[in-house]
Amino acid sequence: MIKSLMMDDSLMISGILRHAESIYPGQEIVTRLVAGEIHRYTYQQLGERTRKLANALLEAGINVGDTVTTIAWNTHRHLEAYYAVSGIGAVLHTLNPRLHPDQVSFILGEVKPKIVLVDTTFIPLIEANLEVFKSVEKVVVLATQQELPDLPAPPELDLLVYEEWIASYSVEYEWPVFDELAAAAMCYTSGTTGYPKGVVFSHRSTVLHAMGLGSANGPGVSENSCILPIVPMFHVCAWGVPYAALMAGSKLVLPGAGMDGKSLTELLVAEDVTLTLGVPTVLQGVIDYCRQKNINTPRLETAVLGGSAASIKLIKDTDEVLGAFLLHAWGMTELSPVGLANFLTNPELELSKEAQFLIQLKQGLPPFGIELQIWDESGKVLIGNPVERGRLMVRGPWVASSYFGISDSTSWEDGWFNTGDIAIRDEDGRYQLVDRAKDIIKSGGEWISSIDIENTASSSPLIVACAVVGVAHPKWGERPLMVVVPTDEQCSESKIKDYLEDKIAKWWMPDKIVFVESLPLTATAKVSKLTLRNQYSDVYQS
Amino acid sequence: MIKSLMMDDSLMISGILRHAESIYPGQEIVTRLVAGEIHRYTYQQLGERTRKLANALLEAGINVGDTVTTIAWNTHRHLEAYYAVSGIGAVLHTLNPRLHPDQVSFILGEVKPKIVLVDTTFIPLIEANLEVFKSVEKVVVLATQQELPDLPAPPELDLLVYEEWIASYSVEYEWPVFDELAAAAMCYTSGTTGYPKGVVFSHRSTVLHAMGLGSANGPGVSENSCILPIVPMFHVCAWGVPYAALMAGSKLVLPGAGMDGKSLTELLVAEDVTLTLGVPTVLQGVIDYCRQKNINTPRLETAVLGGSAASIKLIKDTDEVLGAFLLHAWGMTELSPVGLANFLTNPELELSKEAQFLIQLKQGLPPFGIELQIWDESGKVLIGNPVERGRLMVRGPWVASSYFGISDSTSWEDGWFNTGDIAIRDEDGRYQLVDRAKDIIKSGGEWISSIDIENTASSSPLIVACAVVGVAHPKWGERPLMVVVPTDEQCSESKIKDYLEDKIAKWWMPDKIVFVESLPLTATAKVSKLTLRNQYSDVYQS
């Protein structure tokens, strides 16, 4: 019996920082501060300041397994917190400030942070939840004394200023090595129903996920990349970019609070960004601004799109306005988050743009590390080529095994996580998400994909944005309702139906179309179909 | 105290095969059979046949931790053995057939394989070592009955034919999941002195190393790659390519026994190879053939060069003749093997070719996972920018922690592996290997780098190949001797010295230059400096 004889080095998040600092000391991190100015420093300076913060956290009594919560934009200081908190063995909890105050209060009650690091923007959120934050030992504002706003600080809170707090600590610190299965970070799923649910990442899962992101089949994160993560660092650790970028030695551009089209475009152009990542609404903001101002982004190669399905319009706009490839990806908080990414093969790169756009609508293939199955309702694995629609199940070393504090979740079956998505697998092997299981419409016993109708409709010049939801119907059980943000007043129900007529199955045609000024969004900037379903629950009941 | 809640899925080599088969079932593997013809099949067929082999191995009584030895070229059957043997929990041992019979006998005595899989080419090697192979339970020839040569099989051996052996077994098999630290494969370092030493890789180290190879900072192994590993699968698992390629879904081209310039070039052109990997002598064979026959390889992008340092001539030839980038890499069996790879940054890509070639002479940067230090003779870590020459020490999850069966090796100090290489780190952060510690020449208390002199000399049109070794000298301790394979009879000692005169330090000039028809090689096709030192040990003693 032969045993392996390899070093048993743990996969540590601090190992990423040590690698980055030692191999690419001069690589740049550019931040638009919340106060507006541009801040620049190097990986080496990141390393030094992160060790200062680690020493400050340790002296503040943060122990292994304690939680530190951040309520913060994408900045270098938030990045320092990412590495310092996990690096000393504590748990980084990134709070989504867009959550409802009840949800914030619920989460902080579960997480029980000892220290909260907060951007100036979110001080009012603390003031509005004073009762909850009173039990926190230290609230640290991520700013210099000069950057502080002229707000009267709530007297109940002993607000510390980050730059003054860490200033006196030593840059010397040896990152400890411990079990790679230790908790490193946690993030709550926004949860369209009920309370948010916590996912707790380990050092191992975080490092493996970052290696997966850095693969050449991924977005191609390398020393020659300049990456602008538009996705906030409070959304599933900005999709793992803060880890993958440093692992590969990429230049990193952090947009701070400036998430509008103008601010982001300025950074894209000025910093020669090659890769950006975000959700549809924010990417659309960049596209609209560039189109309006006739701005080119010649260095931008790839825009990774996740969070919601990409429409053909967005894929086309990304190509035509930004001159970039929209890399359609799919993930979930429970998947760290990356589950699928959609690339073109060499033969597909020879096809017409229009043919490519249609392929890009799919969500693609999983990286090594993610294992997928499609199950029917009874739990039977569906196989074949193509694979008919069913429940998308997933497992792998960066997939959650349960939610924090919930022992009886029904989301896991036989060791597989039920994504709650309905998917198919095409002849070309690609996965495509048909709908969220809870969003799919069941009409007269047959399934209608709300996403399919939305994708088709979004190509119409009549429509800025739209959503299709199933609404209870006395005869058919459910029928589709379409909610539309029209381009102008000329738009009408009959014009949209004319547009859709030859493009979707007859019985998929929404029975009604209603017009609104904007669609309701969730805390993670997705269209809130729950809100729409509630609002229009009785339109077919007459 | 918050604990992580992620799935504890093991990193398994069989997981790579399962991913490959399920995500890229139609991807192609092309083999030049040892008998000469081209064989093609898909990942799906690889998966099916590998499961047949697994069932055959299990029925033959192979248990967890048992060893199966291969003596084989790069073929699809060897690839099946890679995945089947490790997949069932046994240990794949790849024997280097170029080793001395004494070494073969020593290794097999240590490894004690139950089954040996052998290519027809190497049946004579078995016949010459019959005593050793008698204790093996099964010797299986990797061929069909038709492909068998007309050799009288040694009556002492019960030779099985691979294709007949596996034919009747089922394609159904569930790959077991077990501890990722279990032994998966082993390979012996050729060892220029003493007996070869065994390195035992784990599933974890193999998978992490493959993920490192697949990073965008690596050679860029992706679904769009077509990879021709020229490095034999009996050299450190072909540098991990059989794992990294399947992980990424790359097309794989396996050259069989055809390692000459003509055979390899035919495959490069016919299969649209984008990436190849090999040692200098074999790559030079391809270059010479392409130059002579005026053949272009337009799809080839990268040639990864390892095993020995690349000369400026080889870097230039790769650019000019093959139109490809020579990616200079460095590794060791003890490192699985990848330790360094040398890329150009965007600003460097703007430089002149000549300037780029000089940068390419260095060995580059480590991927995430490899940690390097340069130590002085007393074990003090040398830091600074640049870092002066010292001993290159390494650690990481795919670095060996000891040799098989040797408990008291001096190659490890304080948890670091001593590579035996002398290295510097330049202003640009790149590592460059100055010499093997045992090859460096110490003259009058000062160090002379044999590699530096060889690199300089190899650019001369007078020289086909050369090696510089240190030879005992009554006055200086050691002095350099240069051994040259000249281009023609016009070449002379004085002409070479004239060429070197302004290019190296005066006191580095070899005291003597001797001419030979060819340089002696080790079993891994490196120049054997040990042989040269022995042969010329007394040239300066007169």
Side-chain angles (χ1 to χ4, degrees):
Chain A
M1 171 91 189
I2 290 181
K3 295 200 173 141
S4 75
L5 298 166
M6 304 304 283
M7 291 183 180
D8 57 352
D9 285 25
S10 288
L11 301 175
M12 295 271 97
I13 288 177
S14 59
I16 301 176
L17 180 64
R18 291 198 301 117
H19 176 75
E21 204 184 339
S22 124
I23 303 306
Y24 312 100
Q27 184 57 284
E28 227 182 353
I29 297 169
V30 181
T31 299
R32 187 191 295 276
L33 297 174
V34 177
E37 312 91 272
I38 299 296
H39 173 274
R40 292 171 188 279
Y41 71 4
T42 62
Y43 276 16
Q44 188 168 4
Q45 288 167 297
L46 166 70
E48 286 165 5
R49 284 170 49 93
T50 301
R51 290 193 295 278
K52 283 165 95 83
L53 174 56
N55 283 319
L57 291 167
L58 288 167
E59 188 165 301
I62 298 296
N63 292 314
V64 169
D66 283 349
T67 324
V68 173
T69 291
T70 58
I71 317 176
W73 298 108
N74 295 10
T75 70
H76 65 295
R77 294 180 187 125
H78 201 176
L79 191 65
E80 291 160 10
Y82 263 52
Y83 281 98
V85 174
S86 302
I88 64 171
V91 182
L92 173 90
H93 163 239
T94 55
L95 182 77
N96 183 345
R98 293 174 186 149
L99 291 171
H100 188 275
D102 286 355
Q103 295 181 313
V104 170
S105 153
F106 168 83
I107 289 173
L108 292 179
E110 276 204 346
V111 166
K112 299 185 184 63
K114 282 194 174 174
I115 293 184
V116 171
L117 305 175
V118 62
D119 265 327
T120 53
T121 323
F122 305 118
I123 295 177
L125 182 146
I126 294 188
E127 291 177 307
N129 290 271
L130 264 190
E131 274 312 304
V132 180
F133 285 94
K134 261 186 188 163
S135 59
V136 170
E137 292 176 15
K138 275 190 172 52
V139 176
V140 182
V141 184
L142 293 163
T144 60
Q145 192 68 46
Q146 291 75 33
E147 287 165 16
L148 275 191
D150 291 334
L151 294 171
E156 294 87 343
L157 289 176
D158 179 24
L159 285 188
L160 282 173
V161 176
Y162 182 81
E163 293 295 340
E164 296 188 353
W165 181 44
I166 69 166
S168 61
Y169 288 97
S170 166
V171 298
E172 302 290 332
Y173 179 66
E174 279 281 329
W175 297 106
V177 174
F178 41 85
D179 185 349
E180 68 189 33
L181 295 177
M186 67 187 299
C187 189
Y188 277 74
T189 65
S190 62
T192 47
T193 54
Y195 277 103
K197 293 178 287 263
V199 176
V200 189
F201 309 109
S202 65
H203 285 260
R204 173 183 168 96
S205 70
T206 304
V207 170
L208 290 176
H209 178 264
M211 292 181 84
L213 255 187
S215 82
N217 266 348
V221 177
S222 80
E223 191 185 347
N224 279 330
S225 306
C226 174
I227 312 178
L228 173 71
I230 304 184
V231 53
M233 286 167 74
F234 53 77
H235 280 180
V236 217
C237 299
W239 301 352
V241 171
Y243 308 111
L246 266 71
M247 198 178 260
S250 310
K251 178 177 169 185
L252 198 52
V253 182
L254 300 171
M259 298 291 268
D260 58 292
K262 178 172 184 288
S263 305
L264 292 171
T265 302
E266 280 171 11
L267 285 177
L268 272 177
V269 173
E271 302 299 333
D272 285 338
V273 170
T274 61
L275 169 65
T276 188
L277 309 90
V279 298
T281 43
V282 188
L283 183 63
Q284 191 67 55
V286 172
I287 289 168
D288 292 345
Y289 184 80
C290 285
R291 178 180 272 144
Q292 189 194 326
K293 300 283 180 186
N294 211 4
I295 292 172
N296 289 319
T297 53
R299 300 299 292 268
L300 187 68
E301 293 163 9
T302 309
V304 176
L305 198 284
S308 303
S311 66
I312 196 130
K313 180 171 174 295
L314 195 59
I315 294 169
K316 222 166 164 166
D317 279 356
T318 304
D319 177 72
E320 290 173 3
V321 181
L322 304 182
F325 178 76
L326 184 140
L327 196 169
H328 198 178
W330 164 81
M332 299 179 73
T333 305
E334 294 87 339
L335 273 66
S336 300
V338 177
L340 290 168
N342 195 1
F343 285 85
L344 297 181
T345 61
N346 281 335
E348 288 164 351
L349 288 169
E350 308 289 321
L351 299 175
S352 71
K353 286 274 185 190
E354 294 300 323
Q356 290 178 5
F357 295 157
L358 290 177
I359 299 172
Q360 283 173 261
L361 275 177
K362 306 175 191 181
Q363 277 81 4
L365 300 176
F368 172 78
I370 287 289
E371 203 173 335
L372 297 170
Q373 289 187 348
I374 296 179
W375 291 11
D376 71 7
E377 293 192 36
S378 70
K380 198 177 132 261
V381 182
L382 299 172
I383 46 173
N385 185 23
V387 176
E388 52 187 306
R389 73 177 61 200
R391 299 185 289 152
L392 186 62
M393 310 294 292
V394 62
R395 60 170 305 127
W398 62 76
V399 178
S401 58
S402 65
Y403 292 121
F404 184 61
I406 304 175
S407 57
D408 59 347
S409 170
T410 55
S411 292
W412 285 266
E413 295 174 45
D414 293 336
W416 291 79
F417 172 67
N418 183 350
T419 63
D421 279 300
I422 304 297
I424 56 173
R425 192 174 177 199
D426 274 356
E427 285 91 347
D428 64 4
R430 286 187 174 85
Y431 289 84
Q432 184 165 15
L433 302 200
V434 178
D435 228 329
R436 290 292 295 166
K438 62 180 189 302
D439 289 339
I440 206 158
I441 302 160
K442 208 156 188 183
S443 167
E446 296 287 340
W447 281 356
I448 297 175
S449 162
S450 64
I451 292 183
D452 271 6
I453 306 177
E454 290 162 8
N455 276 341
T456 308
S458 69
S459 303
S460 160
L462 302 163
I463 292 176
V464 173
C466 72
V468 174
V469 294
V471 171
H473 189 282
K475 182 171 174 192
W476 299 107
E478 273 187 341
R479 285 298 299 158
L481 168 80
M482 182 179 254
V483 185
V484 167
V485 181
T487 33
D488 59 37
E489 289 167 9
Q490 303 302 311
C491 184
S492 69
E493 181 157 353
S494 63
K495 280 189 184 165
I496 293 178
K497 285 190 173 172
D498 282 352
Y499 181 83
L500 289 174
E501 197 167 19
D502 300 329
K503 301 187 181 73
I504 60 171
K506 258 199 165 48
W507 59 278
W508 282 30
M509 184 66 75
D511 297 27
K512 216 178 202 135
I513 296 175
V514 296
F515 295 93
V516 295
E517 275 185 22
S518 66
L519 296 171
L521 297 182
T522 68
T524 49
K526 302 176 190 180
V527 172
S528 173
K529 293 201 171 177
L530 179 70
T531 307
L532 293 175
R533 274 194 296 264
N534 289 339
Q535 192 176 344
Y536 298 103
S537 62
D538 56 1
V539 289
Y540 295 147
Q541 300 295 338
S542 53
Chain B
M1 171 89 188
I2 291 181
K3 296 201 172 139
S4 74
L5 298 165
M6 304 304 283
M7 291 183 181
D8 57 351
D9 285 25
S10 288
L11 302 175
M12 294 272 96
I13 288 177
S14 60
I16 301 175
L17 180 63
R18 292 198 301 117
H19 175 75
E21 205 185 338
S22 126
I23 303 307
Y24 311 100
Q27 185 56 286
E28 227 182 354
I29 297 169
V30 181
T31 299
R32 187 192 295 277
L33 297 174
V34 176
E37 312 91 272
I38 299 295
H39 172 274
R40 292 171 187 278
Y41 71 3
T42 63
Y43 276 16
Q44 188 168 6
Q45 288 167 298
L46 166 70
E48 286 165 5
R49 284 171 47 95
T50 301
R51 290 193 294 279
K52 283 165 93 85
L53 175 56
N55 284 319
L57 291 167
L58 288 167
E59 189 166 300
I62 298 297
N63 293 314
V64 169
D66 283 349
T67 323
V68 173
T69 292
T70 58
I71 317 175
W73 297 108
N74 295 10
T75 71
H76 66 295
R77 294 180 186 124
H78 201 176
L79 190 65
E80 291 160 10
Y82 263 52
Y83 282 97
V85 173
S86 302
I88 64 171
V91 182
L92 174 89
H93 162 239
T94 54
L95 182 77
N96 183 346
R98 292 174 187 149
L99 290 171
H100 188 276
D102 286 354
Q103 295 180 314
V104 170
S105 153
F106 168 82
I107 289 173
L108 292 179
E110 277 203 345
V111 166
K112 299 185 183 62
K114 281 194 174 174
I115 293 183
V116 171
L117 305 175
V118 61
D119 265 327
T120 52
T121 323
F122 304 118
I123 295 178
L125 182 146
I126 294 190
E127 291 177 307
N129 289 271
L130 263 191
E131 273 313 304
V132 181
F133 285 94
K134 262 186 189 163
S135 58
V136 170
E137 292 175 16
K138 275 189 173 51
V139 175
V140 182
V141 184
L142 294 163
T144 59
Q145 193 68 47
Q146 292 74 34
E147 288 166 17
L148 276 191
D150 291 334
L151 294 171
E156 295 87 342
L157 291 175
D158 179 24
L159 285 187
L160 282 173
V161 177
Y162 183 81
E163 292 296 339
E164 297 188 352
W165 182 45
I166 69 166
S168 62
Y169 288 97
S170 167
V171 298
E172 302 291 332
Y173 179 66
E174 279 283 328
W175 297 108
V177 174
F178 42 85
D179 184 351
E180 68 189 34
L181 296 176
M186 68 188 297
C187 189
Y188 277 74
T189 64
S190 63
T192 46
T193 53
Y195 276 103
K197 293 179 286 266
V199 176
V200 189
F201 310 109
S202 65
H203 285 260
R204 173 184 167 95
S205 69
T206 304
V207 170
L208 290 175
H209 178 264
M211 291 181 84
L213 255 187
S215 83
N217 266 348
V221 176
S222 81
E223 192 185 346
N224 280 330
S225 306
C226 175
I227 311 178
L228 173 71
I230 303 184
V231 52
M233 287 167 74
F234 54 76
H235 280 180
V236 218
C237 299
W239 301 351
V241 171
Y243 307 111
L246 265 71
M247 198 178 260
S250 310
K251 178 177 168 185
L252 198 53
V253 181
L254 300 171
M259 299 292 268
D260 57 292
K262 177 171 183 291
S263 306
L264 293 170
T265 302
E266 279 171 11
L267 284 177
L268 272 176
V269 173
E271 302 299 332
D272 285 338
V273 169
T274 61
L275 169 65
T276 189
L277 309 91
V279 299
T281 41
V282 187
L283 183 63
Q284 191 67 56
V286 173
I287 289 168
D288 292 346
Y289 184 79
C290 286
R291 178 180 272 144
Q292 187 193 327
K293 300 282 180 184
N294 210 7
I295 293 173
N296 289 318
T297 53
R299 301 298 293 268
L300 188 68
E301 294 163 8
T302 309
V304 177
L305 198 285
S308 304
S311 66
I312 197 131
K313 179 169 176 295
L314 195 59
I315 294 168
K316 222 168 167 167
D317 279 356
T318 304
D319 177 71
E320 291 174 1
V321 180
L322 303 182
F325 177 77
L326 184 141
L327 197 169
H328 198 178
W330 165 81
M332 299 178 74
T333 305
E334 293 88 338
L335 273 66
S336 301
V338 176
L340 290 168
N342 195 1
F343 285 85
L344 298 181
T345 62
N346 281 334
E348 288 164 351
L349 288 169
E350 308 290 320
L351 299 175
S352 71
K353 286 273 185 190
E354 294 300 325
Q356 290 179 6
F357 296 158
L358 290 177
I359 298 172
Q360 283 173 260
L361 274 177
K362 306 174 191 180
Q363 276 81 3
L365 300 176
F368 172 78
I370 286 289
E371 204 174 333
L372 296 170
Q373 289 187 346
I374 296 179
W375 291 10
D376 72 7
E377 292 192 37
S378 70
K380 199 177 132 259
V381 182
L382 298 172
I383 47 173
N385 185 21
V387 177
E388 53 187 306
R389 73 176 62 198
R391 298 186 291 149
L392 186 63
M393 310 294 291
V394 61
R395 61 170 303 128
W398 62 74
V399 178
S401 58
S402 65
Y403 292 120
F404 184 61
I406 305 175
S407 56
D408 59 346
S409 170
T410 56
S411 292
W412 285 266
E413 296 175 44
D414 293 336
W416 291 80
F417 172 67
N418 183 351
T419 63
D421 279 299
I422 303 297
I424 57 175
R425 193 174 175 196
D426 273 358
E427 285 92 346
D428 63 3
R430 285 187 174 86
Y431 288 84
Q432 185 165 14
L433 302 201
V434 177
D435 226 330
R436 292 291 296 165
K438 61 181 189 302
D439 289 339
I440 206 160
I441 302 160
K442 209 156 188 182
S443 168
E446 295 287 339
W447 282 357
I448 297 174
S449 162
S450 64
I451 292 182
D452 272 5
I453 306 177
E454 290 161 10
N455 276 340
T456 307
S458 69
S459 303
S460 159
L462 302 163
I463 291 176
V464 174
C466 71
V468 174
V469 292
V471 172
H473 188 282
K475 181 170 176 196
W476 299 106
E478 273 187 340
R479 285 297 299 158
L481 167 80
M482 182 179 254
V483 185
V484 167
V485 181
T487 34
D488 58 37
E489 287 167 11
Q490 304 301 312
C491 183
S492 69
E493 181 157 353
S494 64
K495 280 189 183 167
I496 292 178
K497 285 190 172 173
D498 283 352
Y499 180 83
L500 289 175
E501 197 167 18
D502 298 331
K503 300 185 182 76
I504 61 172
K506 260 202 164 46
W507 59 279
W508 282 30
M509 184 66 76
D511 296 27
K512 213 177 204 135
I513 296 176
V514 296
F515 294 94
V516 294
E517 275 185 24
S518 66
L519 295 171
L521 297 182
T522 69
T524 50
K526 302 176 191 179
V527 172
S528 174
K529 293 201 172 178
L530 179 71
T531 307
L532 292 174
R533 274 195 296 266
N534 288 339
Q535 192 176 345
Y536 297 103
S537 60
D538 55 2
V539 290
Y540 294 148
Q541 299 296 338
S542 54

